[in-house]
Amino acid sequence: MLTEIVSDEQLINLYTEDGYLVAVDYPKNEVKLHTIDCMLADPISSVGVKPSKARENKTGEFWYSKNRKEANLKAEEISKKKVYTYVVCPICNR
Ligand SMILES: [Zn+2]
């Protein structure tokens, strides 16, 4: 099941789960797929995504799924619709 992530807390609570995060960056015109335990998908990390702030400033959106195929489909759908670049994160892609 695909879930929209609207706050840092929501994402922090998913850290110990398996799964994938679709991070959409409006200013960068980019959609990035992470595993949920990637440091770039961790709001506590200084380099991590910040869903609360992104929502407040309307600079991005985030989606979570336990299933890679489902996350991948969502990422592709968004990147096609918005004509954004779709990137699989090079750090956590394994
Ligand atoms: Zn990553």
Side-chain angles (χ1 to χ4, degrees):
M1 202 186 79
L2 209 56
T3 308
E4 185 167 17
I5 304 294
V6 296
S7 71
D8 292 5
E9 292 71 27
Q10 200 186 349
L11 187 52
I12 290 161
N13 289 336
L14 285 168
Y15 192 77
T16 52
E17 303 285 323
D18 289 330
Y20 297 87
L21 180 77
V22 176
V24 186
D25 189 323
Y26 299 160
K28 279 191 184 167
N29 293 3
E30 188 186 86
V31 182
K32 210 177 231 181
L33 182 71
H34 297 282
T35 57
I36 204 73
D37 60 354
C38 179
M39 67 174 181
L40 298 181
D42 176 9
I44 296 167
S45 162
S46 61
V47 294
V49 295
K50 307 282 188 288
S52 294
K53 211 172 156 191
R55 191 173 178 82
E56 195 184 305
N57 300 331
K58 297 185 169 56
T59 54
E61 63 186 75
F62 302 87
W63 298 87
Y64 166 78
S65 175
K66 250 187 163 31
N67 181 282
R68 182 172 177 133
K69 206 172 156 188
E70 190 180 50
N72 202 40
L73 275 173
K74 183 68 179 172
E76 281 178 358
E77 181 196 307
I78 296 169
S79 68
K80 270 189 200 137
K81 202 165 85 184
K82 293 186 180 285
V83 198
Y84 282 5
T85 310
Y86 175 30
V87 191
V88 177
C89 175
I91 292 174
C92 61
N93 183 36
R94 54 190 180 232

